[in-house]
Amino acid sequence: MSAHFEVVVIGAGISGVGAGVRLREAGIRDFLIIEAADDFGGTWRANTYPGCQCDVPSRLYSYSFAPNPDWTRVYAHQPEILAYVKGVADRHRLREHTRFGVRMTEAHWQPGAARWRIGTDAGEFTARFLIAGAGPWNEPLVPAVPGLAEFPGEVFHSARWNHDYDLRGMRVAVLGTGASAVQFVPAIAPQVDRLHLFQRTAQWVLPKPDHRIPAAERWVMRHVPGARAAVAALEYRAMEALGRGFRRPSLMRGVQAVARAHLRGAVRDRGLRRKLTPDYTLGCKRILFSNHYYPALTRPNVDVHACAVRAVDGTTVLGADGSTAEVDAIILGTGFHILDMPLSNLIHDGAGRSLADHWRGSPEAYLGTVTAGFPNAFLLLGPGLGTGHSSAFTILEAQLALVCGAIRSARAGGWASVDVRRDVQAAYNTELQAALAGTVYNTGGCRSYYLDANGRNSFSWPWSTSRLRTQVARFDARDFTVVHTTDRRELGA
């Protein structure tokens, strides 16, 4: 017989931990978090590559219910963020609700029983509500490069860094120039004999206003009432000012001038500078921040190949422009399955159709959280909620307010299930896509992971963060189809 819970949460990263805390605060104690790994942390547990650091100020990259006055840097590094997430989970006693080493293999909605049947590699569970918190930065993307699988040297993705492999004195190829590569390339460049960076698309890189936070400042943050909140408010306003440029691309010219000056100041060689200069508007792709990336690329042992990789032939990496590189190791900085989330193939409606079947290449949800046809199911950090400037914690907490509002309403109202109306979802996404049409995400002249397999922007939020915090957080029963039950004892009411 399968174990039954009121709520099952998939994943124990920042989403799963946040969900567990908010469920407990809402008086919902009958829940289980299942996590494939052996501890909390999610992406901050998995990504341990050298130089791994947040691109959002630490004071904003935090749960509102767990402010941390002790951040040691303006932009925290991975070990400190991981320790923070684990600390929050432990203070809120989430280990007693969590089973580690358990991977979900399928989830099916059972209309007759009004519950989810969840298959795992450790047995089966059932639940009234399912919260998917695996996140979009969960599954590494390995490019389909001919010959890569036969490469005789070492190959690993940045999110699965092999710390047992000694890079010192090695010839290394790096594929990809996204947020991870911008951080680990400066860290490994001084160690390797030769580094070949294959850059399919140049990236805009802004200087990073990062520094260690002095002990005296941390004391003030800890002991002076309102100090931490005041500084966080200033950082929030600065990030929101940048956010206006995403919605009005003409405003990005000034920011782009800063990025261009940053490049010119760090790279004196005109030929290399041409390779590193993007041909699209800043913000069209994810904005990167680094004070060390450009200087690393000017090192005499670093070669920048301004092209994609065509193939791998033995120990030779072949560039699309005809260039070659003899290497001992290949590191993939190629990102994640952001919009083609593997989880979407595992969650099925009452007729057996998966989320991926419903989406057909274009992920869609109402308020980025619920999808019609999947009652009592919630997707955290879902489609249409990504911003280029704000914190994932802000998005997550707005969604959790919606999720807890729905569950509390179901308990109080004696509802067996709650499912967003298809017309409501369609109208919302029509408005969303219309608003995205004028943003830099869609008009900046690039191809980014914001665009799905059908060329539609299924990732981005086109409005302000303040609107996201209010609109997404509100549960309105009128937007949903509600099925009642006559036995309220089954609902935990």
Side-chain angles (χ1 to χ4, degrees):
M1 181 180 293
S2 59
H4 180 74
F5 298 88
E6 186 171 13
V7 184
V8 167
V9 180
I10 311 301
I14 65 169
S15 296
V17 169
V21 173
R22 290 306 197 195
L23 287 170
R24 284 180 64 99
E25 289 179 348
I28 302 163
R29 300 301 176 94
D30 182 23
F31 68 90
L32 174 70
I33 302 172
I34 61 174
E35 167 58 53
D38 60 359
D39 209 340
F40 297 105
T43 188
W44 295 107
R45 175 201 49 76
N47 286 269
T48 61
Y49 60 80
C52 185
Q53 185 180 20
C54 192
D55 276 344
V56 175
S58 306
R59 293 185 184 93
L60 300 181
Y61 201 76
S62 312
Y63 298 108
S64 65
F65 53 80
N68 180 16
D70 295 317
W71 292 116
T72 61
R73 298 197 69 87
V74 175
Y75 294 85
H77 284 264
Q78 177 266 340
E80 193 169 10
I81 299 173
L82 179 58
Y84 168 75
V85 175
K86 287 184 179 180
V88 171
D90 286 336
R91 285 194 299 276
H92 289 270
R93 301 171 57 188
L94 295 186
R95 290 190 186 274
E96 63 190 56
H97 291 276
T98 307
R99 296 191 190 179
F100 296 107
V102 176
R103 182 180 299 277
M104 187 183 82
T105 56
E106 60 178 350
H108 292 265
W109 174 247
Q110 298 180 300
R115 61 176 55 180
W116 284 93
R117 180 176 58 80
I118 301 151
T120 78
D121 56 6
E124 186 175 283
F125 305 97
T126 58
R128 287 197 59 228
F129 299 96
L130 177 68
I131 301 177
W137 295 278
N138 176 49
E139 190 69 26
L141 176 63
V142 176
V145 176
L148 180 62
E150 290 74 45
F151 177 69
E154 185 71 21
V155 181
F156 55 85
H157 193 280
S158 61
R160 302 292 185 266
W161 196 273
N162 184 359
H163 291 277
D164 294 328
Y165 184 77
D166 191 351
L167 291 170
R168 288 177 297 180
M170 295 296 180
R171 301 167 300 172
V172 178
V174 173
L175 278 57
T177 54
S180 299
V182 162
Q183 294 181 348
F184 73 72
V185 164
I188 68 172
Q191 305 173 20
V192 302
D193 175 64
R194 199 88 199 161
L195 193 153
H196 295 273
L197 179 68
F198 285 86
Q199 171 195 271
R200 184 175 59 181
T201 307
Q203 303 274 9
W204 286 112
V205 181
L206 286 169
K208 195 167 191 172
D210 185 33
H211 61 81
R212 282 196 67 83
I213 299 174
E217 183 178 336
R218 296 202 302 273
W219 185 93
V220 170
M221 295 298 106
R222 195 181 308 114
H223 296 289
V224 176
R228 190 209 61 81
V231 174
L234 288 174
E235 291 174 335
Y236 175 80
R237 292 191 190 99
M239 300 293 279
E240 281 302 286
L242 178 61
R244 282 194 285 273
F246 291 94
R247 301 188 293 276
R248 299 180 183 178
S250 62
L251 298 178
M252 278 297 188
R253 295 193 189 108
V255 184
Q256 189 165 305
V258 173
R260 198 180 295 275
H262 180 50
L263 171 60
R264 188 167 55 248
V267 180
R268 310 310 297 176
D269 181 89
R270 290 185 178 180
L272 178 57
R273 202 160 62 228
R274 278 195 296 272
K275 288 182 179 180
L276 298 174
T277 302
D279 60 0
Y280 54 85
T281 304
L282 183 143
C284 183
K285 286 179 173 287
R286 177 177 174 177
I287 298 178
L288 307 179
F289 298 85
S290 177
N291 301 325
H292 310 295
Y293 180 64
Y294 287 147
L297 301 187
T298 66
R299 293 178 58 89
N301 67 328
V302 175
D303 294 306
V304 177
H305 303 256
C307 64
V309 170
R310 177 169 57 85
V312 176
D313 183 9
T315 59
T316 306
V317 179
L318 308 174
D321 63 353
S323 63
T324 63
E326 288 291 324
V327 299
D328 305 299
I330 298 174
I331 302 176
L332 306 175
T334 46
F336 300 86
H337 289 274
I338 300 291
L339 295 175
D340 57 333
M341 294 176 285
L343 192 71
S344 66
N345 293 300
L346 305 181
I347 301 177
H348 300 80
D349 65 12
R353 296 179 64 212
S354 69
L355 261 176
D357 292 334
H358 279 251
W359 286 344
R360 292 179 294 178
S362 290
E364 180 178 291
Y366 177 56
L367 301 175
T369 310
V370 288
T371 298
F374 294 81
N376 292 9
F378 308 93
L379 183 62
L380 301 180
L381 299 181
L385 290 177
T387 72
H389 64 286
S390 61
S391 169
F393 283 82
T394 301
I395 301 167
L396 170 65
E397 291 200 37
Q399 289 187 278
L400 290 176
L402 170 65
V403 172
C404 290
I407 295 176
R408 282 196 304 265
S409 296
R411 282 178 145 202
W415 304 342
S417 66
V418 53
D419 187 11
V420 66
R421 290 164 38 198
R422 293 186 185 278
D423 62 316
V424 169
Q425 178 176 310
Y428 166 78
N429 281 279
T430 296
E431 182 186 14
L432 181 80
Q433 290 301 316
L436 282 168
T439 63
V440 71
Y441 310 122
N442 285 28
T443 65
C446 75
R447 175 80 194 188
S448 73
Y449 68 68
Y450 304 149
L451 306 182
D452 61 34
N454 299 317
R456 192 178 82 159
N457 189 332
S458 295
F459 180 83
S460 303
W461 172 266
W463 300 295
S464 69
T465 305
S466 60
R467 174 168 172 171
L468 187 153
R469 294 166 77 174
T470 56
Q471 184 174 359
V472 173
R474 182 178 60 89
F475 172 74
D476 188 339
R478 293 173 297 182
D479 297 334
F480 294 80
T481 299
V482 170
V483 175
H484 292 264
T485 179
T486 56
D487 189 353
R488 296 187 58 185
R489 289 173 296 177
E490 295 182 1
L491 301 175

